[in-house]
Amino acid sequence: AASQVHSTAGMPRRSRRRKSIAIAYESGQGDGAEQGMSEPQRPRWEPRDWQQQLERIREMRRKRDAPVDEMGVEKCYDSSAPPQLIRSQHFAFKEKSKTSVSPPQTPVCGLVCNMHSGMVCFLSCLSLLPMLEGSLDFLPFPLVFQNKVKYIKQTTAILKQKYGGDIPRTVEELVQLPGVGPKMAHLAMNIAWDSVCGIAVDTHVHRITNRLKWVKKETKYPEETRVALEDWLPRDLWREINWLLVGFGQQTCLPVNPRCNECLNQDICPAAKRR
């Protein structure tokens, strides 16, 4: 035993460190040797034919003549007002009646446009309230809009006290305001702050993306749809998709009796094939 110990004493100790293994990469697949090979990434899910469907929807929306194009949130504001007041106007007008009627019948925006024709007005949430409340008696406001006036009034007090009359600049803060959900928060971030941090999903976007199978599985609520879309839709399309699909939903892909025979996607739309 002693001789065995003696015979191994002078031998160099074997290193416990593992030797790096040279990996041979195909052209353009790595930086060379001594790099660990990572597991291949799973291909990202995306809907079938979605790019072709999108291009055809763009073509159908090329004229920009849907109600949202004339009466959308970004259209109703005083362009000569200071930035803070413009943001307040965007935020207040986003709660307008969600109808698809012609401009003269849309209460808030029609009222504001009439004011523009007579005078230059610097509207903020603070100056908007008396005008709206005083108009309820003689303008054809739907009942749902009266609740929105109440939300605007509550929100105005919060904005004045907490944000100096401006609006919050994060989705987390916006959704804490009365009557403001994720869709409105993302829309306000987009329009008022020029910041795209999510997709604004309303009933049109929710309905159409489910019909086109732009979600892995059918979603029941717009917020579910938003999460599903943001998982695969390229971020540079997030700003466009709301405006694009809302107008498409107002003119062609209607909630009831959609005009599939007029739609350029009728041959590649899963919903159209079932009709």
Side-chain angles (χ1 to χ4, degrees):
S3 62
Q4 290 179 353
V5 173
H6 177 75
S7 63
T8 59
M11 296 178 62
R13 298 180 61 185
R14 181 175 297 178
S15 173
R16 294 178 178 269
R17 298 180 59 185
R18 297 178 60 185
K19 292 183 179 179
S20 59
I21 302 176
I23 305 296
Y25 289 88
E26 294 182 7
S27 177
Q29 288 191 353
D31 296 327
E34 299 188 2
Q35 288 190 2
M37 179 180 291
S38 60
E39 295 183 3
Q41 291 185 350
R42 298 175 61 183
R44 197 173 197 177
W45 180 88
E46 61 181 35
R48 180 180 178 181
D49 299 325
W50 75 270
Q51 291 174 311
Q52 188 176 8
Q53 292 166 344
L54 178 63
E55 286 303 318
R56 291 181 180 182
I57 293 174
R58 283 174 174 156
E59 175 61 24
M60 288 183 280
R61 292 281 287 113
R62 184 171 53 85
K63 293 182 180 180
R64 295 175 176 257
D65 54 358
V68 69
D69 300 310
E70 298 182 22
M71 312 307 296
V73 175
E74 69 279 8
K75 299 296 182 180
C76 290
Y77 69 97
D78 182 1
S79 60
S80 62
Q84 178 175 328
L85 295 187
I86 290 178
R87 288 192 291 270
S88 297
Q89 292 168 32
H90 283 317
F91 190 66
F93 296 149
K94 72 177 176 54
E95 291 292 358
K96 70 182 189 309
S97 175
K98 293 185 179 69
T99 59
S100 299
V101 296
S102 58
Q105 295 175 280
T106 306
V108 175
C109 197
L111 180 60
V112 173
C113 290
N114 289 336
M115 292 186 66
H116 273 294
S117 64
M119 59 183 293
V120 176
C121 54
F122 291 82
L123 296 174
S124 65
C125 285
L126 300 177
S127 62
L128 183 66
L129 280 173
M131 180 182 68
L132 290 181
E133 293 178 324
S135 303
L136 290 175
D137 295 333
F138 62 88
L139 286 177
F141 286 113
L143 178 62
V144 67
F145 188 77
Q146 298 182 30
N147 291 328
K148 294 183 180 184
V149 172
K150 178 183 68 176
Y151 289 143
I152 293 175
K153 186 173 183 179
Q154 294 171 348
T155 298
T156 297
I158 297 174
L159 299 184
K160 181 179 179 181
Q161 179 180 11
K162 191 172 180 180
Y163 299 99
D166 208 332
I167 68 172
R169 59 187 313 154
T170 66
V171 171
E172 291 76 14
E173 291 175 294
L174 285 167
V175 295
Q176 298 300 316
L177 298 172
V180 179
K183 184 258 296 194
M184 287 302 180
H186 287 294
L187 195 60
M189 290 296 296
N190 184 355
I191 302 300
W193 291 112
D194 193 27
S195 174
V196 180
C197 52
I199 301 173
V201 177
D202 70 346
T203 55
H204 292 292
V205 179
H206 171 66
R207 176 180 72 255
I208 294 170
T209 53
N210 271 274
R211 285 178 176 176
L212 292 173
K213 301 296 184 184
W214 282 12
V215 290
K216 274 187 178 181
K217 60 180 180 179
E218 184 177 358
T219 55
K220 294 183 178 180
Y221 307 104
E223 182 62 6
E224 289 181 283
T225 304
R226 181 187 68 81
V227 174
L229 287 175
E230 291 177 3
D231 187 55
W232 69 267
L233 188 69
R235 195 179 184 92
D236 60 353
L237 299 176
W238 289 9
R239 183 191 297 269
E240 175 190 23
I241 208 68
N242 176 269
W243 160 82
L244 196 67
L245 295 186
V246 168
F248 180 57
Q250 291 173 338
Q251 294 181 309
T252 306
C253 198
L254 305 175
V256 180
N257 299 322
R259 298 166 181 167
C260 297
N261 61 324
E262 301 176 10
C263 181
L264 299 180
N265 280 322
Q266 58 182 293
D267 61 325
I268 55 174
C269 174
K273 292 179 181 179
R274 293 197 300 269
R275 297 185 186 281

